[in-house]
Amino acid sequence: MGGGTILERIKEIELEIGRTQKNKATTTHLGSLRAKLCKLRRELLEPAPGASGGGGDGFEVSRSGDARVALIGFPSVGKSTILSEFTTTKSEVASYEFTTLTCIPGVLTHRGCKVQVLDLPGIIEGASQGKGRGRQVIAVAKSADMVLMVLDASSGKSEEQRRLLEHELEVCGLRLNKTPPNVTYKRKATGGISVSFTAKAPSITEKDICDVLHEYRVHNADVLVREDLTVDEFCDVIEANRHYVKCLYVYNKIDHTSIEEVERICSQPHCTVLSTYMKLNYDGLVDKVWEYLQLVRVYTKKRGQPPDLTDPLVLTAGRHGTTVESACLQLHKSLVDNHDYTFVWGASVKHSPQRCGLSHSLCDEDVVQIMVRKVASAAADPFNKSTAAPTQSRQQIKKAKKPLKS
Ligand SMILES: Nc1nc2c(ncn2[C@@H]2O[C@H](COP(=O)(O)OP(=O)(O)OP(=O)(O)O)[C@@H](O)[C@H]2O)c(=O)[nH]1
Ligand SMILES: [K+]
Ligand SMILES: [Mg+2]
């Protein structure tokens, strides 16, 4: 035990987990094996100190547009065809595998938003361990707001390939269509371990949590569990570097499958079908992507004028949030510092317009008129460029307004 390469040790532990029957007597052992596995996988992914880290030839494509979608899939499932059909960029399409060797960006414009779509080389089993260009591809997937996992519905291997790819992404710290566990974990300097539950959690016990913490050599920490979670998910909380990404499974080439198969696919969650040959379900795919990205378009308006409906601010729930504050930040930081209130029209308010504070959550197609505090001679209209934005900070203003107590 303990010897061999990281990969060999991972294999060994996976085998042992497979061999160990799950029962009361073995839960501690299984928990500690799981935690060990998590640690080893992290070691595998983190380049050794001093090593180049497999970098250098990563696909650094700069982020542009309002959201980023990555096309992930085995070779020749039709990723480049999709990029070429749905964006104005043409990516080379061919019947042989590994046609695409690098990351090719395109832009999909929908409802006034620009979505960056990235075509990528095909990945295969073992990608997470550096097979092919797997690691670079997965690094791009991590940077995306959404993954389109493209599968070949005509191959008869789509389900197997899907499981393999899910495993590769999982091993690299991606969590598809999951939300971060609702657990607070705080390390401390002293005081030992304290675990409390505010919800029933049949999948994990206090002892499991203590065992995992012990494995991570954590001896002082507060843990508050607010929902049920597994030991693996608790390891995710400790590792704290997981990427929670939406994933839509796109079964392409349905021109080569039966109606029954199409029906089977469509009845599964997070799945849609496509045929680029017969141009089938293009609108369905774009609608799904739009639904998953949950982009919030916010139109700004100046006092006494109609809103500007041509150029929305686009907010994303995952990346920067969808509050009035996020909208202000996209325009200028001073709008947050000097924010007085914002008039909001639209679905996020009961009465239109409604005065809202910075923490108010906006909905798609809301209209906002941001009002800043009147400070000295500066005007309240942030969109009027002829009047300089107030330079005093909120604290300064508060101080100035506070009557002196004695
Ligand atoms: N029957 C059928 N074939 C398709 C469809 N979409 C793409 N193809 C074909 O599938 C083959 C592979 O397409 P590509 O777009 O190059 O696939 P890829 O996933 O980008 O492949 P790599 O870059 O090699 O990973 C090409 O011969 C395409 O013409 C489809 O909807 N139906
Ligand atoms: K190909
Ligand atoms: Mg390609």
Side-chain angles (χ1 to χ4, degrees), residues 76 94-99:
S76 275
S95 58
Y96 56 86
E97 300 198 334
F98 297 108
T99 309

Side-chain angles (χ1 to χ4, degrees), residues 75-81 94-95 98-100 122 252-253 255 276-277:
S76 275
V77 292
K79 301 178 294 298
S80 302
T81 317
S95 58
F98 297 108
T99 309
T100 309
N252 188 28
K253 308 195 189 183
D255 45 285
T276 53
Y277 268 23

Side-chain angles (χ1 to χ4, degrees), residues 82-372:
I82 293 176
L83 187 87
S84 305
E85 288 286 308
F86 286 83
T87 73
T88 46
T89 305
K90 293 284 165 263
S91 183
E92 194 184 343
V93 170
S95 58
Y96 56 86
E97 300 198 334
F98 297 108
T99 309
T100 309
L101 294 172
T102 177
C103 177
I104 318 261
V107 178
L108 166 69
T109 309
H110 190 62
R111 300 191 187 176
C113 298
K114 287 190 164 58
V115 177
Q116 182 180 48
V117 182
L118 302 178
D119 182 24
L120 288 157
I123 58 172
I124 47 176
E125 193 178 2
S128 55
Q129 288 137 35
K131 246 198 191 162
R133 313 206 67 185
R135 288 242 203 139
Q136 291 104 307
V137 171
I138 294 172
V140 173
K142 277 187 182 172
S143 76
D145 299 291
M146 177 177 179
V147 166
L148 285 187
M149 191 181 285
V150 186
L151 300 154
D152 181 348
S154 72
S155 66
K157 293 186 212 150
S158 57
E159 294 308 322
E160 182 195 337
Q161 295 192 337
R162 172 177 163 172
R163 267 194 304 280
L164 288 170
L165 288 185
E166 281 173 337
H167 177 73
E168 298 295 337
L169 297 177
E170 181 90 2
V171 165
C172 290
L174 273 117
R175 298 291 175 265
L176 305 179
N177 297 324
K178 280 191 183 160
T179 48
N182 194 356
V183 171
T184 311
Y185 164 64
K186 268 196 212 115
R187 281 192 81 159
K188 303 180 294 188
T190 54
I193 304 278
S194 127
V195 182
S196 38
F197 291 80
T198 60
K200 274 193 183 145
S203 315
I204 199 162
T205 63
E206 182 172 345
K207 181 156 189 324
D208 292 334
I209 289 176
C210 292
D211 289 344
V212 169
L213 290 173
H214 182 77
E215 187 59 44
Y216 278 93
R217 311 267 185 280
V218 174
H219 305 296
N220 300 291
D222 287 336
V223 180
L224 178 61
V225 180
R226 292 201 208 79
E227 68 176 5
D228 190 27
L229 79 168
T230 62
V231 169
D232 285 346
E233 285 164 345
F234 184 65
C235 291
D236 282 351
V237 172
I238 297 180
E239 295 274 352
N241 59 354
R242 305 309 191 210
H243 295 259
Y244 295 84
V245 182
K246 298 244 171 92
C247 176
L248 180 65
Y249 300 91
V250 183
Y251 289 77
N252 188 28
K253 308 195 189 183
I254 53 160
D255 45 285
H256 269 217
T257 57
S258 64
I259 289 282
E260 290 75 24
E261 177 64 359
V262 169
E263 277 174 355
R264 185 194 66 81
I265 293 166
C266 290
S267 68
Q268 300 179 73
H270 307 298
C271 292
T272 191
V273 291
L274 190 72
S275 165
T276 53
Y277 268 23
M278 295 176 70
K279 294 198 184 290
L280 291 175
N281 201 31
Y282 277 27
D283 290 346
L285 175 59
V286 173
D287 283 349
K288 268 264 154 70
V289 169
W290 177 257
E291 179 194 322
Y292 276 50
L293 286 175
Q294 288 182 303
L295 298 180
V296 171
R297 292 163 296 170
V298 175
Y299 303 103
T300 55
K301 151 180 167 32
K302 291 180 192 175
R303 197 195 311 202
Q305 289 185 23
D308 174 8
L309 298 177
T310 56
D311 189 19
L313 294 172
V314 181
L315 310 176
T316 49
R319 209 157 280 281
H320 306 292
T322 58
T323 57
V324 169
E325 181 166 359
S326 337
C328 289
L329 279 174
Q330 270 207 21
L331 288 162
H332 198 273
K333 195 185 159 293
S334 70
L335 292 176
V336 175
D337 292 337
N338 303 315
H339 187 260
D340 193 358
Y341 58 90
T342 290
F343 275 129
V344 180
W345 289 257
S348 73
V349 287
K350 265 194 192 151
H351 312 286
S352 290
Q354 191 169 309
R355 275 177 183 231
C356 298
L358 285 171
S359 62
H360 176 75
S361 281
L362 295 163
C363 287
D364 190 30
E365 303 215 86
D366 277 358
V367 171
V368 297
Q369 183 182 327
I370 300 167
M371 310 299 284
V372 293

